[in-house]
Amino acid sequence: MNLSEHHVTSNMSFTQLPGVRLACGFSMTASLALILVEALPGARVAIFHAFNNLGPLAPGFWSGMTAMADTYLALGLLLPFMLWRPRLGALLLLSALIATAITHSIKPILDVPRPPAVLVADAMHLIGHRLDHGSFPSGHAVTAFTLAGLLIVGLRLSVGWSALVLLAAAVLGVSRMAVGVHWPTDVLAGAVIGLISVMLAQLWLNRWSSLNHARWPLPAGIVVTAICALSSPWFNAGYPLGQWANWSVAALGLVALFWASLRYWPQYRNRQRLPLNDLGRK
């Protein structure tokens, strides 16, 4: 997005943004697909096998993709955007709380068996550690689409960029089927929960001015995302073949921190105002 586009979209309600409308349309489509897959006999298993067969073709790739959808690495991925757009701090906080509350309320109540607990070993491909319970919804898919929603809403992305972000989140969601631990309905539900959580969080922020203008969410968010990014090489996501993803997140974090130091240090040295000082005044 160029500066003129950002100036135009900054004066619009977030519900009017083309990228947000695309995300809402994506969420509605995922909801309809979820209903159809559940309603059609055998559709859930057939779709699972179609994506699960992708796993053996590129196990390292899918392992890395599913590792990036882990909350720990996903938070590390957010570090560059937190440094770029300070207002993401409060939105991240509320979105994470809403998504976590919804996901961990549904999982234990339904306790849906995962594919390894239902299908015989010879009928599927399992990459990484085995999981048997708590299938619905996919927590990794919730994380992936919460991250996508944060970028779309928080950065006010255009339709083109929003489509790319949603596509990337979809790949992360598909990875959960490729590695053999989730049904397609789990991923679809995760997509809906993730995107809706961000929309609800932004609506809440629009009405909760004290949090929207507070300064503490930014440094708190930067500290958390920086810790996750820089320590990601030592985080065990359960997929040894995807260790490249851990190092990629760490490298991205280091580059982001180096860029931020070059951008903000001269201002601090010259006693100029930093972005944190301007929160709530723009």
Side-chain angles (χ1 to χ4, degrees), residues 53-75:
N53 288 333
L54 298 175
L57 300 179
F61 171 77
W62 293 114
S63 294
M65 290 294 101
T66 207
M68 281 192 181
D70 189 284
T71 301
Y72 199 93
L73 294 188
L75 284 172

Side-chain angles (χ1 to χ4, degrees), residues 33 35-50 183-185:
I35 296 172
L36 286 175
V37 172
E38 280 289 355
L40 296 175
R44 186 177 72 157
V45 175
I47 296 173
F48 167 78
H49 282 304
W183 304 105
T185 46

Side-chain angles (χ1 to χ4, degrees), residues 2 27 50 76 84 107 110 118 121 134 136 159-160 185 202 219-220 233 247 256-257:
N2 58 40
S27 180
W84 182 29
K107 270 183 178 289
L110 299 182
V118 176
F136 185 92
V159 170
T185 46
Q202 185 60 61
W247 286 101
L257 289 172

Side-chain angles (χ1 to χ4, degrees), residues 115-270:
V118 176
L119 304 174
V120 296
D122 294 340
M124 60 167 291
H125 308 286
L126 183 63
I127 301 174
H129 59 295
R130 177 188 173 105
L131 297 171
D132 291 331
H133 302 287
S135 187
F136 185 92
S138 166
H140 283 64
V142 171
T143 297
F145 281 93
T146 300
L147 176 60
L150 282 168
L151 298 182
I152 292 171
V153 175
L155 303 185
R156 295 175 171 257
L157 297 181
S158 64
V159 170
W161 280 110
S162 297
L164 288 175
V165 167
L166 289 171
L167 177 61
V171 172
L172 297 182
V174 166
S175 73
R176 300 306 285 162
M177 292 182 282
V179 300
V181 293
H182 274 293
W183 304 105
T185 46
D186 306 335
V187 176
L188 290 169
V192 175
I193 292 171
L195 292 174
I196 286 180
S197 295
V198 178
M199 304 301 171
L200 291 175
Q202 185 60 61
L203 287 172
W204 195 356
L205 280 177
N206 289 345
R207 291 166 173 77
W208 192 0
S209 59
S210 59
L211 179 59
N212 195 27
H213 296 159
R215 297 181 180 182
W216 64 266
L218 172 61
I222 291 176
V223 169
V224 171
T225 55
I227 290 174
C228 291
L230 300 182
S231 64
S232 58
W234 297 274
F235 175 73
N236 182 14
Y239 297 91
L241 294 177
Q243 190 65 23
W244 61 267
N246 298 55
W247 286 101
S248 297
V249 172
L252 181 63
L254 285 172
V255 171
L257 289 172
F258 179 71
W259 167 82
S261 67
L262 293 179
R263 181 183 182 187
Y264 297 130
W265 173 248
Q267 299 179 47
Y268 175 78
R269 184 184 59 191
N270 296 327

